[in-house]
Amino acid sequence: MSYKLEKPCSETDRLDFIVKYNHNKGLRIEEAEKAYFALEKNEIISGGIPVVDEDYESKVIQERKDDFEKEFFSTSLGWIRRSVTMCNGTRKNFLTDLLLPIKAGLESGREVTILAYKTPDFTQDLTLDYMVSLQERKQATPEFIQECLNQLVKDFGS
C-alpha cells in the first residue's frame, strides 16, 4: 500500500515523509508531478499514480538470476561459487587461489572433490539453507579444469 504527500508541501513535511516511510518503513520514495509517494516493492508510478507493477515477479526472478550469476559460474559439473569458505573459515577465490592446486592434484593422480551447485529455482528466495540443499560433491576432471581456465580468461577479458 502506497502513501502520498500532496504538493506543494514544506521542506519539513517532505523530509518527515521520507524519514517516516523510507527510513523507518523501507518504502521507496518517488516524486510525481502533484505528489510524493512512498511505494511498496511491487508498485510503480504510472500516469502520476501508484499502481501494482505487473512485471514485478519477473523482475525479481531476473534480479535473483543476475545476482546468482555474479557469484557463480557454470561448468559441466554444475555451478561453482567464485568465493568459497575454507574449512578453517578463510575465504578464497576459486579461480585465482584454488584452481592451480586442484589442477596439480589431478595431475599427480589424486582425487579432488569440489562443491558444485545445481541450478536454483529463481522463483524462491536464495536463502543459505536453500543454497546448501543445492550442493553436490563432485570429482574434478580435466574437462572441469579447462572450463575453469576458460572462465578465468573470460573474466580477465571482460
Side-chain angles (χ1 to χ4, degrees):
M1 178 178 111
S2 63
Y3 299 89
K4 178 179 180 180
L5 174 64
E6 295 279 345
K7 290 181 178 178
C9 61
S10 70
E11 183 64 9
T12 301
D13 287 344
R14 187 182 74 80
L15 293 174
D16 287 347
F17 182 79
I18 291 170
V19 168
K20 182 175 181 178
Y21 293 109
N22 177 259
H23 298 182
N24 295 342
K25 293 189 177 185
L27 301 180
R28 190 178 73 255
I29 306 298
E30 295 279 337
E31 182 177 5
E33 186 178 331
K34 297 182 181 187
Y36 293 96
F37 293 96
L39 304 175
E40 297 285 347
K41 291 179 182 182
N42 68 337
E43 294 177 316
I44 59 173
I45 298 292
S46 178
I49 59 169
V51 296
V52 173
D53 182 357
E54 294 178 10
D55 297 327
Y56 177 73
E57 284 300 317
S58 63
K59 289 176 184 175
V60 168
I61 290 168
Q62 188 60 51
E63 185 178 315
R64 286 179 185 147
K65 186 174 189 284
D66 292 345
D67 289 346
F68 177 82
E69 290 177 356
K70 287 177 188 168
E71 292 184 42
F72 293 80
F73 63 95
S74 182
T75 71
S76 59
L77 299 181
W79 290 90
I80 305 300
R81 188 181 288 275
R82 291 176 175 277
S83 178
V84 298
T85 303
M86 305 301 287
C87 292
N88 65 4
T90 60
R91 305 277 298 164
K92 300 278 185 180
N93 180 297
F94 189 90
L95 293 172
T96 59
D97 298 331
L98 301 177
L99 182 57
L100 291 181
I102 292 169
K103 182 178 186 293
L106 278 182
E107 289 172 349
S108 70
R110 297 189 67 180
E111 281 192 2
V112 180
T113 303
I114 57 147
L115 278 181
Y117 291 76
K118 295 180 263 184
T119 302
D121 173 358
F122 295 108
T123 63
Q124 296 187 45
D125 286 333
L126 303 184
T127 63
L128 179 60
D129 287 341
Y130 179 56
M131 293 306 295
V132 167
S133 77
L134 299 175
Q135 291 178 348
E136 300 178 303
R137 293 190 180 281
K138 300 279 182 114
Q139 297 303 313
T141 64
E143 176 187 13
F144 170 75
I145 297 298
Q146 188 59 50
E147 292 169 335
C148 292
L149 288 170
N150 291 343
Q151 184 65 50
L152 188 58
V153 170
K154 181 180 173 186
D155 290 353
F156 183 71
S158 296

